[in-house]
Each structure stands twice: as C-alpha cells, then as structure tokens.
Amino acid sequence: MPAELAEKTDRYEQMLADALAVAEPRPPAETPLGEAAADVVEMVESYLEDGRHFRADGDPVNALASYSYGYGWLDAGVRLGLFAVPDDTELFTT
C-alpha cells in the first residue's frame, strides 16, 4: 500500500472516531429529530466498523471510502443541528 494512502486512511479513521466521540445529539431521543440523530449515529458507527473491516482485509481504498462517507453523514448532521459539538473543534464545517 502506498504510504500516502496508508497515512490518509489512518488519519480519516481517527478523525471519524474523534468526531463521533464529541458529537452529542441535541433533540430529545423520543422526538422525530431525536430519532433522526440516532439514525445518523447508527450510520456513522456502521461506516466506521465497515472501514475497520476493510482495513483488516487489506482493502484501504474501501476503508477510506467508508470513513469518508461516515464523516459526511456526521458532518451533515452537525450542520442540520442534530448534534452539538465543541466550539473549539476543527473536526466539523460549522
């Protein structure tokens, strides 16, 4: 695997895991928006898990794609107001 791809895959996996750790759902869980936030978290966790599976199988391209898709889901949720994130983070495009 080219070093550049390995570094980028490592970076995106860590970025997604860090972003998931700091994103807190805003709406109450029992509301439709709370359910939407839970759906986003489920998708992000699935993409993170899939990426790790691809990585373990020696498929860094699909691992990177999974991390990128997961990050996109989470970032969109933040921009839509489904998640609160720290003001001092550079993990999101808010």
Side-chain angles (χ1 to χ4, degrees):
M1 163 175 22
E4 192 174 289
L5 178 58
E7 183 278 327
K8 191 169 189 176
T9 303
D10 288 342
R11 187 166 31 99
Y12 274 60
E13 178 184 7
Q14 189 62 55
M15 188 171 66
L16 179 55
D18 290 347
L20 186 57
V22 300
E24 295 290 329
R26 281 187 169 171
E30 64 278 357
T31 66
L33 287 176
E35 291 174 11
D39 288 345
V40 170
V41 168
E42 183 178 353
M43 288 298 296
V44 173
E45 290 172 340
S46 293
Y47 276 119
L48 182 59
E49 184 179 315
D50 288 350
R52 289 174 173 162
H53 174 79
F54 286 128
R55 191 84 186 268
D57 282 352
D59 186 353
V61 172
N62 280 317
L64 181 57
S66 291
Y67 300 144
S68 297
Y69 278 113
Y71 192 83
W73 271 86
L74 190 57
D75 194 49
V78 170
R79 295 196 79 179
L80 290 169
L82 295 177
F83 301 95
V85 296
D87 289 334
D88 62 348
T89 185
E90 294 182 9
L91 290 169
F92 300 98
T93 60
T94 59

